[in-house]
Amino acid sequence: MHLHAQCHKVLKLSRFCCVVQTQRFFFRKVINALNEHINEKTQEHRESFQNWSEFQNRGFKRPEYMRSWVIEEYGSPQDVLKMENLNTPNTKITSNIDARRSYLYQAVNHPNDVLVKVHCASINPIDVRICEGYGRRLFNFQRDVLFNTIGGLLRPFKSVQERFVEREFPLVLGRDFSGTVVDVGTRVADLQPGDEVYGAPSLFKFGTLADYVCVDLNEVAQKPATCSHIEAASIPYVGLTVVSALRNIVVKGKSPKNALVLGGSGGIGTFAIQYLQSYGYSVTTTCSTEGIAICNRLGADCIDYKTQDVDKAVLEGDKFSVVFDPIGAASPEWAGQCLVNCGSYVSLRSPIVELSDKYGPLFGFSASMSTLVKKKLQNTSINVDWAFFKPDRPALLEVARIIDGGLIKPVVHPSNIYQFEDTPKAFKKVEEGHTKGKVVVNVSGLPEAVQKPNVEKIFHL
Ligand SMILES: NC(=O)c1ccc[n+]([C@@H]2O[C@H](COP(=O)([O-])OP(=O)(O)OC[C@H]3O[C@@H](n4cnc5c(N)ncnc54)[C@H](OP(=O)(O)O)[C@@H]3O)[C@@H](O)[C@H]2O)c1
């Protein structure tokens, strides 16, 4: 009887093993078939990348070479940043790495693509942080899932080293640009070669510190007609972040129309002060003694955080309807004391990226969301929110209109303009953390990069 039970168990086990083996066999077959399909598609993709025929037929000359600032490993910008200079006509794409290296100067590949010759690009604190490894897990996840969905799902079956190299490096840095359109995809109706544009690609995409950048239509728009490329390049990343943080609030225009901006003299601060004022807000800001001149010139009341007691100065004055905190200097509890009932506290410092780097994107995101919900529940008398940079074409158009209307002025001091070869110096300046206004790199070095346009009539969409 006992023997019979044992035999039965062994039989059951071997039947189970058989089923598992068969399933594994079929699963592998499916994966291999999918892999082959993807390889074929990638090959087609690369070939179409390489021929440039459409591009050339429209009278554009393929660039002889393409310069870009890339990193091939994470680390301090001064150690890992390097300039790549690729001779495009002679570069044959034979591997994924080649495809990645050549990504930015390839012809338009999707109907919504816009290929831009970059004249200028600005440096943001996030460039320094991405260089040091910030967001590596979240942005790689996005590269996989959003860029290449099926490929992303299959990647776990590849070796760790293969995944790492394929997706990530060489990584081009730079988050925003101003330049000239050189080619557009078939669905791009209102931009054409020769148009002067500005914009910012999504964070997980490759950057703008290169001669050419290929972006989606949602990431680019006609640049402000009154700005030089140097000025226009200083706007998109900070402008889109501020609009995504404050647009809903300023459009509703809850009274009193006064706002507190913490850290007013940097890129985000100088833009936020002017954006709020363009919607009729009076703005108070905190800045260092060295930042007072610039913030006063923009029309903000200043609290010098080096010589004054910020708590006392803020809490003794009138209450605000908005506290905007790009630098993470406040907490919802603190903001609650200086906000009117139902006022808004918006912070740009969320832990999502850090937690995603630590625990993976899904867990990092859910942990962050539960923190936000907790903060909201603990501060029910005010609206607590985090905001993020978001590519947004209508916002780029809105900002261009406000700038051309004279309500927002780009803040770029001549000493903060760097030549392309000096990009590491520009990174150093931003790393030091006391930038006044924006730091911009003159990528093309062409006369039109710095020339102020001669504008008689401005047309906006
Ligand atoms: N969530 C997002 O999507 C997003 C997007 C963009 C930016 N951000 C955040 O926004 C921050 C600011 O970006 P940015 O481009 O404006 O950087 P930035 O140009 O380097 O400016 C930072 C400014 O903060 C000021 N500052 C530092 N500590 C301060 C304090 N305790 N009180 C008042 N001001 C202080 C500095 O001025 P002083 O020299 O006068 O101290 C500096 O001008 C970044 O660090 C980033 O975390 C978030």
Side-chain angles (χ1 to χ4, degrees):
M1 190 65 202
H2 182 68
L3 190 64
H4 181 77
Q6 289 289 340
C7 285
H8 190 68
K9 263 190 200 161
V10 170
L11 243 154
K12 251 175 108 180
L13 191 69
S14 54
R15 213 181 300 146
F16 175 74
C17 289
C18 249
V19 171
V20 169
Q21 283 300 342
T22 322
Q23 276 179 354
R24 277 185 63 182
F25 176 76
F26 281 112
F27 188 60
R28 240 186 245 146
K29 280 253 171 238
V30 171
I31 295 294
N32 286 343
L34 273 171
N35 251 336
E36 262 169 36
H37 177 72
I38 283 168
N39 286 343
E40 266 170 33
K41 284 277 157 213
T42 317
Q43 196 51 39
E44 274 172 27
H45 190 70
R46 281 186 206 142
E47 276 157 15
S48 75
F49 257 1
Q50 274 186 308
N51 72 41
W52 276 65
S53 56
E54 201 196 348
F55 191 65
Q56 279 167 335
N57 287 344
R58 289 198 228 166
F60 293 106
K61 213 169 158 267
R62 181 175 174 153
E64 294 264 303
Y65 61 88
M66 146 109 171
R67 304 164 306 158
S68 53
W69 280 99
V70 300
I71 54 167
E72 302 214 3
E73 59 181 318
Y74 292 121
S76 151
Q78 306 310 316
D79 298 335
V80 296
L81 253 182
K82 59 180 191 185
M83 168 125 72
E84 276 209 338
N85 203 337
L86 286 166
N87 186 343
T88 60
N90 298 334
T91 309
K92 262 268 176 236
I93 297 174
T94 52
S95 70
N96 275 329
I97 285 283
D98 288 345
R100 173 58 51 85
R101 280 181 200 278
S102 52
Y103 172 78
L104 287 177
Y105 58 81
Q106 298 302 343
V108 157
N109 198 40
H110 296 287
N112 274 347
D113 279 354
V114 178
L115 183 68
V116 178
K117 170 157 184 55
V118 179
H119 286 305
C120 300
S122 87
I123 310 287
N124 292 279
I126 193 158
D127 290 309
V128 176
R129 298 185 75 192
I130 287 181
C131 191
E132 291 167 349
Y134 174 78
R136 58 190 297 172
R137 289 185 79 177
L138 181 64
F139 301 149
N140 275 338
F141 176 77
Q142 290 176 309
R143 274 172 208 132
D144 265 1
V145 175
L146 302 181
F147 237 1
N148 191 358
T149 315
I150 304 175
L153 291 176
L154 289 175
R155 289 226 164 87
F157 295 90
K158 296 194 172 183
S159 76
V160 172
Q161 196 193 1
E162 222 180 341
R163 288 170 61 196
F164 184 71
V165 171
E166 228 177 67
R167 291 183 302 173
E168 212 162 7
F169 300 121
L171 190 59
V172 184
L173 298 174
R175 294 274 43 102
D176 44 15
F177 65 88
S178 180
T180 308
V181 175
V182 289
D183 198 13
V184 294
T186 48
R187 250 191 257 145
V188 177
D190 67 337
L191 284 178
Q192 52 186 339
D195 283 356
E196 310 281 285
V197 290
Y198 77 149
S202 303
L203 287 178
F204 64 90
K205 290 191 180 172
F206 299 100
T208 57
L209 284 167
D211 280 328
Y212 293 85
V213 65
C214 193
V215 290
D216 184 86
L217 183 59
N218 189 40
E219 300 163 343
V220 57
Q222 282 86 353
K223 83 170 177 53
T226 51
C227 290
S228 65
H229 285 288
I230 291 271
E231 291 169 331
S234 74
I235 298 292
Y237 186 72
V238 292
L240 290 173
T241 306
V242 170
V243 173
S244 116
L246 298 176
R247 187 205 259 140
N248 284 344
I249 298 170
V250 294
V251 166
K252 282 184 198 143
K254 185 177 162 42
S255 61
K257 278 187 132 186
N258 60 1
L260 174 65
V261 174
L262 299 171
S265 59
I268 292 276
T270 48
F271 189 92
I273 291 172
Q274 301 183 79
Y275 184 70
L276 284 157
Q277 287 172 339
S278 75
Y279 277 85
Y281 281 74
S282 59
V283 181
T284 304
T285 191
T286 58
C287 57
S288 64
T289 319
E290 299 76 36
I292 285 187
I294 202 168
C295 295
N296 274 340
R297 217 172 319 130
L298 296 176
D301 292 331
C302 296
I303 300 169
D304 182 340
Y305 74 83
K306 283 195 173 164
T307 59
Q308 284 177 269
D309 180 344
V310 176
D311 284 2
K312 196 160 172 263
V314 169
L315 299 175
E316 278 178 358
D318 290 341
K319 293 210 167 193
F320 301 96
S321 61
V322 184
V323 172
F324 179 50
D325 181 11
I327 54 172
S331 66
E333 291 73 25
W334 183 86
Q337 299 174 59
C338 49
L339 277 170
V340 295
N341 202 23
C342 296
S344 301
Y345 169 69
V346 187
S347 169
L348 293 186
R349 287 289 180 99
S350 86
I352 292 183
V353 180
E354 273 102 348
L355 289 181
S356 299
D357 285 342
K358 210 166 168 187
Y359 303 115
L362 295 177
F363 189 73
F365 184 76
S366 13
S368 309
M369 283 304 120
S370 65
T371 309
L372 178 61
V373 170
K374 205 166 134 201
K375 283 181 191 288
K376 278 176 181 279
L377 292 174
Q378 284 167 347
N379 298 277
T380 46
S381 62
I382 59 169
N383 300 309
V384 178
D385 228 333
W386 293 333
F388 309 92
F389 156 79
K390 203 168 73 205
D392 181 352
R393 184 172 159 73
L396 285 169
L397 292 168
E398 177 197 339
V399 168
R401 272 196 301 270
I402 302 177
I403 291 177
D404 286 339
L407 294 175
I408 293 182
K409 291 194 169 31
V411 183
V412 188
H413 191 271
S415 65
N416 286 338
I417 301 171
Y418 292 83
Q419 294 308 308
F420 193 57
E421 297 69 31
D422 293 332
T423 298
K425 289 186 190 160
F427 270 75
K428 197 161 177 39
K429 177 83 188 167
V430 174
E431 254 178 301
E432 284 162 9
H434 298 287
T435 322
K436 304 289 168 278
K438 291 284 300 175
V439 171
V440 178
V441 174
N442 182 345
V443 176
S444 72
L446 294 172
E448 60 257 48
V450 286
Q451 271 160 13
K452 201 83 174 155
N454 188 4
V455 192
E456 283 175 10
K457 276 189 186 157
I458 301 169
F459 295 101
H460 278 292
L461 293 172

